[in-house]
Amino acid sequence: MRNTEKTITLQGDKCTDCKICELTCSAVRERGFNRGKARLHVERQDLLKVLLDICRLCAHPACVVACPTHAIEVADGLGIVSITPADCTACGLCVSACPHKALRLWPGRDVPAVCDL
Ligand code: SF4
Ligand code: SF4
């Protein structure tokens, strides 16, 4: 992970997997309660382990490498993944390449959605 001031972390011992964070995110960003359109996702692995799917601002981002049109970059200083809509073809290759499931595309979106914290 890059050294940035902002991030979101999950304390697995306190998370009840209620998904309210996902619903809240979708309400704020998509103006509707739809967990499938949330930028962050909580994944329960087993009784004790819960993972947070969110952009890790990789030092060597697989999403950037995968993009055939160079539309995506991890913006230094901003601490976010940035996609230039005019260069994005919505091919989804970055979505498949991200090891943290941080990028999402759904019908109707022109560019992948990613958490900007
Ligand atoms: S979107 Fe995925 S691959 Fe790209 S910087 Fe974030 S975590 Fe890394
Ligand atoms: S969906 Fe857009 S940003 Fe992602 S790989 Fe395809 S062209 Fe690049």
Side-chain angles (χ1 to χ4, degrees):
M1 180 186 290
R2 290 192 176 197
N3 187 15
T4 59
E5 291 181 7
K6 284 200 304 182
T7 190
I8 296 173
T9 57
L10 175 72
Q11 298 183 53
D13 58 334
K14 295 181 179 174
C15 175
T16 62
D17 200 21
C18 69
K19 311 290 192 189
I20 290 176
C21 58
E22 296 180 7
L23 288 169
T24 304
C25 177
S26 68
V28 170
R29 298 304 302 271
E30 300 296 328
R31 309 217 177 275
F33 291 101
N34 183 339
R35 288 176 43 219
K37 294 183 176 179
R39 263 63 165 181
L40 83 175
H41 293 267
V42 172
E43 270 192 86
R44 177 163 294 284
Q45 301 292 295
D46 56 39
L47 198 58
L48 299 175
K49 190 174 179 188
V50 189
L51 294 182
L52 180 64
D53 293 333
I54 199 169
C55 179
R56 305 292 172 184
L57 299 171
C58 307
H60 304 287
C63 59
V64 173
V65 174
C67 180
T69 61
H70 309 290
I72 184 167
E73 63 177 345
V74 178
D76 273 327
L78 294 177
I80 57 169
V81 163
S82 169
I83 299 175
T84 303
D87 295 334
C88 177
T89 61
C91 67
L93 290 174
C94 58
V95 177
S96 303
C98 174
H100 300 291
K101 302 180 190 170
L103 292 158
R104 307 220 172 210
L105 259 179
W106 53 82
R109 270 202 74 85
D110 296 331
V111 300
V114 63
C115 180
D116 58 6
L117 304 176

